[in-house]
């Protein structure tokens, strides 16, 4: 689903982004509720970026990547944590693109997400290349999602990927 977000940027550069787990739902500009083989997810576009809410029989998880007042923790390159019975992994990278590369990458990502049943993208007013996009899927019992946060004024595209799955005891793998 592709939507135009009726707001201005709250996070104005990649350096403004921070990551947190377990945050309560924040006000959203657009949401998409999906179900992936028993996992209920809500993809949420915020004025300050994104939030994912995941709920399954074995627990729940909330990931927020956004400009959060009072947070001085930068976006981590990678995180691996145990969340209840789940293993959670997060990775982020910042791509630096020329204006032409940025336009092409923006078009490619928006086309990928716009018509996907598990995709949500929001374009901010003022630039067709200023957007936040999210895409979720389930693979081998784990829930995965990817996000992209575009900052065309700086030529920066922040890409994240997350994975949540039930922890497999070491004895079961032997």
């Amino acid at each position: 689903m592709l939507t135009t977000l009726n707001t201005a940027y709250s996070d104005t550069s990649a350096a403004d982004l921070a990551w947190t787990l377990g945050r309560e739902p924040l006000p959203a500009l657009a949401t998409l509720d999906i179900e992936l083989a028993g996992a209920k997810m809500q993809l949420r576009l915020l004025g300050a970026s994104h939030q994912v809410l995941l709920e399954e029989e074995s627990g729940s998880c909330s990931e927020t990547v956004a400009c959060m007042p009072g947070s001085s923790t930068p976006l981590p390159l990678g995180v691996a944590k145990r969340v209840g019975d789940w293993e959670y992994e997060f990775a982020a990278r910042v791509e630096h693109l020329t204006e032409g590369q940025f336009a092409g990458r923006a078009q490619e990502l928006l086309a990928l997400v716009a018509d996907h049943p598990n995709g949500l993208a929001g374009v901010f007013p003022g630039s067709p290349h200023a957007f936040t996009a999210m895409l979720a899927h389930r693979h081998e019992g784990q829930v995965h999602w990817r996000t992209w946060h575009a900052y065309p004024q700086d030529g920066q595209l922040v890409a994240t990927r997350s994975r949540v799955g039930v922890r497999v005891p070491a004895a079961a793998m032997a």
Side-chain angles (χ1 to χ4, degrees):
M1 178 171 91
L2 179 62
T3 186
T4 298
L5 301 173
N6 190 18
T7 190
Y9 274 134
S10 292
D11 55 334
T12 56
S13 75
D16 291 338
L17 290 175
W19 165 91
T20 59
L21 275 180
R23 196 171 191 98
E24 291 296 316
L26 297 170
L29 300 172
T31 62
L32 179 65
D33 292 311
I34 56 179
E35 189 162 332
L36 298 171
K40 293 182 180 179
M41 289 186 82
Q42 186 175 70
L43 305 180
R44 304 169 58 83
L45 295 178
L46 313 174
S49 283
H50 89 258
Q51 188 172 49
V52 173
L53 306 177
L54 174 65
E55 193 173 313
E56 253 186 330
E57 194 175 288
S58 56
S60 63
C61 179
S62 165
E63 173 191 277
T64 306
V65 172
C67 174
M68 292 176 274
S71 175
S72 60
T73 305
L75 190 64
L77 295 177
V79 174
K81 291 186 78 120
R82 186 163 178 184
V83 179
D85 290 337
W86 288 341
E87 293 293 330
Y88 167 89
E89 290 180 5
F90 171 86
R93 74 178 191 284
V94 179
E95 296 177 33
H96 299 275
L97 305 167
T98 66
E99 191 174 326
Q101 290 171 325
F102 200 98
R105 187 83 168 113
Q107 288 175 336
E108 172 187 287
L109 290 169
L110 290 172
L112 171 71
V113 175
D115 295 326
H116 196 287
N118 300 330
L120 176 62
V123 177
F124 290 89
S127 171
H129 304 130
F131 68 92
T132 299
M134 309 169 74
L135 189 60
H137 72 279
R138 189 172 191 112
H139 179 70
E140 295 181 354
Q142 298 181 336
V143 178
H144 302 254
W145 60 91
R146 297 183 65 193
T147 72
W148 299 271
H149 305 262
Y151 303 97
Q153 71 280 9
D154 297 326
Q156 295 179 327
L157 181 68
V158 178
T160 74
R161 62 178 170 78
S162 303
R163 179 192 63 80
V164 173
V166 174
R167 186 169 180 251
V168 179
M173 296 191 310

